[in-house]
Amino acid sequence: MYLSTIGRSEHKVSRGKIAANVLALGTVSLVTDISSEMVTAVLPIYLVLSLHLSPAIYGLVDGLYTGATALLRLVGGYLADRVSRRKAIAGIGYAISAVAKLGLVAAGASAGAIGAVITADRTGKGLRTAPRDALITLSAPQDMLGRAFGVHRAMDSAGAFAGPLVALGVLALVGASSTDAFDAVFVTSFCIAAIGVLLLILFVRDHRTPRPATGTVSPRAAAALLKSAPVRRLLIAACVLGTATIGDGFVYLLLQRREDIGTGWFPLLAVGTNLAYLVLAAPLGSLADRFGRLPVVLCGYGALVVVYLLLAGPVSGWPLVVLSLALYGAFYAATDGVLMALAGPVLPEALRTTGISLIQTGQAVAYFVSSALFGLAWQVWGIGPSMAVAAGAAVLAIVVTFGLLRKAR
């Protein structure tokens, strides 16, 4: 299981070059993330300041945004392997998320309707993520997976960097205090997401293989993945790491409250994180290929611990904002794609998408629980004690993950 199952004939890529299909997928992610991050950048302040949701309720909504549709990752991954049409399954996911942006306009101020729309949006993400990542693993040699994911995530984060700026531009154009300002952001987000779907259809090549033999891709075969010690350890580690992550919205809301950042400037917090992510994703991916993926992932979570301590500590002003956003971006650059690069070599090709979705599902469910509990802790204990507990949980997660995965380095 430690050997790559990717045949050499699958990778007609010169040493040091990134496959065109990885770049095409990166372009789709870039455009889609402009759309997604437009919404993500304004959603916390829209829900908390405009709709006056409590921290506990916001924690449930934020957890729902990432974790509630986690099982659909398994459905998308399994279907992609079963029919050998990873591009088609990913395309359906991208399309669902695009349409959901319009649903936010129709939802109005109803928390229940907003929750339903967010579920639809995350349904799309759940369906598309594992097939997309599987296409990346099947478009690059094993010893270049870290770099391939790094380049993809760098392009993805370029869109994430631009998205809040576009949202800021829309708010400035319409008027941040206008009742139509958020609706204008959501409609613009839909239009950009539709362009991403079109790019996927036109430029991404599917990795088509013959239909797997009967029994090769089945619920029993998928469940048998857990009998593999490397897969099982990676899944447990992903769940443990997911419980150490409280979510972007909380980080930005805490910064906004501590520094009294205005509504119109709130999207710039995501810009700072995504700028650091954009700059560091490809270099850290290459570093992971050269020196080991596990050390890079653990260092990323170390950066997250420092972010939590900064938010709970005495530092204030621009040093707090700059350091927190830079380290938060470094956390994402060191962990997002690198964790999937760790997964690729230990999964058989026939179940590559299913295995990736299994790991992503475990992490997403853990994140949902973490976000809900942190929102409740914030409301009951206050910011300082809650952040201290979050930092301690992240340190514990680093230790446990090292113990689980050190043999797989």
Side-chain angles (χ1 to χ4, degrees):
M1 292 294 291
Y2 283 95
L3 299 177
S4 172
T5 57
I6 305 173
R8 293 182 182 181
S9 61
E10 307 293 345
H11 305 296
K12 299 177 181 179
V13 182
S14 301
R15 178 66 58 189
K17 293 184 178 180
I18 297 298
N21 213 37
V22 174
L23 297 177
L25 286 163
T27 303
V28 173
S29 292
L30 187 155
V31 173
T32 301
D33 249 39
I34 293 176
S35 168
S36 297
E37 291 300 319
M38 287 180 65
V39 174
T40 301
V42 301
L43 196 59
I45 202 164
Y46 175 59
L47 296 177
V48 174
L49 297 187
S50 295
L51 302 187
H52 306 293
L53 298 187
S54 68
I57 298 299
Y58 173 73
L60 289 173
V61 174
D62 184 61
L64 184 69
Y65 194 68
T66 298
T69 58
L71 292 179
L72 284 165
R73 296 173 186 258
L74 281 175
V75 174
Y78 178 77
L79 285 176
D81 283 334
R82 182 79 175 178
V83 302
S84 294
R85 291 180 177 270
R86 297 174 179 88
K87 175 181 172 179
I89 300 300
I92 293 172
Y94 279 111
I96 291 174
S97 292
V99 174
K101 303 300 188 298
L102 291 180
L104 287 170
V105 179
S110 170
I114 290 173
V117 172
I118 286 175
T119 299
D121 179 69
R122 296 301 91 181
T123 295
K125 185 174 179 62
L127 287 175
R128 73 179 184 250
T129 302
R132 181 203 65 199
D133 285 351
L135 281 173
I136 295 173
T137 69
L138 296 169
S139 300
Q142 177 186 336
D143 60 355
M144 287 183 63
L145 281 179
R147 186 179 179 192
F149 272 102
V151 169
H152 174 270
R153 294 313 199 253
M155 298 179 72
D156 185 274
S157 60
F161 172 77
L165 293 177
V166 176
L168 187 65
V170 173
L171 289 175
L173 185 64
V174 178
S177 60
S178 170
T179 56
D180 296 328
F182 290 108
D183 286 351
V185 171
F186 300 148
V187 171
T188 305
S189 173
F190 161 74
C191 295
I192 296 173
I195 295 174
V197 175
L198 183 62
L199 290 173
L200 177 80
I201 295 171
L202 295 177
F203 297 108
V204 172
R205 292 182 297 104
D206 203 355
H207 183 91
R208 296 298 302 277
T209 55
R211 285 261 183 135
T214 303
T216 303
V217 180
S218 66
R220 178 177 295 180
L225 285 173
L226 296 177
K227 296 180 180 179
S228 165
V231 175
R232 190 168 58 250
R233 287 197 296 265
L234 193 57
L235 173 60
I236 295 172
C239 293
V240 170
L241 293 173
T243 60
T245 309
I246 66 171
D248 300 0
F250 281 122
V251 171
Y252 300 149
L253 283 172
L254 289 170
L255 281 173
Q256 189 270 336
R257 291 198 172 195
R258 286 195 57 171
E259 301 305 316
D260 195 24
I261 298 171
T263 302
W265 298 107
F266 186 83
L268 289 180
L269 297 177
V271 171
T273 296
N274 292 323
L275 177 60
Y277 190 175
L278 170 63
V279 171
L280 294 173
L284 288 178
S286 297
L287 197 67
D289 284 339
R290 185 173 182 182
F291 296 106
R293 291 160 191 163
L294 179 59
V296 172
V297 169
L298 296 182
C299 286
Y301 276 90
L304 184 64
V305 172
V306 178
V307 172
Y308 291 168
L309 293 176
L310 284 171
L311 291 173
V315 179
S316 61
W318 68 264
L320 171 65
V321 175
V322 172
L323 282 174
S324 297
L325 297 182
L327 288 170
Y328 203 47
F331 154 68
Y332 275 119
T335 59
D336 188 14
V338 178
L339 187 61
M340 292 303 100
L342 269 171
V346 303
L347 296 168
E349 181 175 338
L351 290 168
R352 181 73 52 82
T353 320
T354 303
I356 288 176
S357 66
L358 179 66
I359 293 165
Q360 292 174 339
T361 294
Q363 191 172 31
V365 170
Y367 172 83
F368 173 78
V369 174
S370 174
S371 183
L373 290 178
F374 182 81
L376 184 61
W378 180 1
Q379 186 164 325
V380 175
W381 296 340
I383 293 175
S386 300
M387 292 308 302
V389 171
V395 171
L396 181 61
I398 291 172
V399 174
V400 172
T401 300
F402 176 74
L404 285 168
L405 300 184
R406 60 181 175 178
K407 295 180 180 180
R409 290 179 57 182

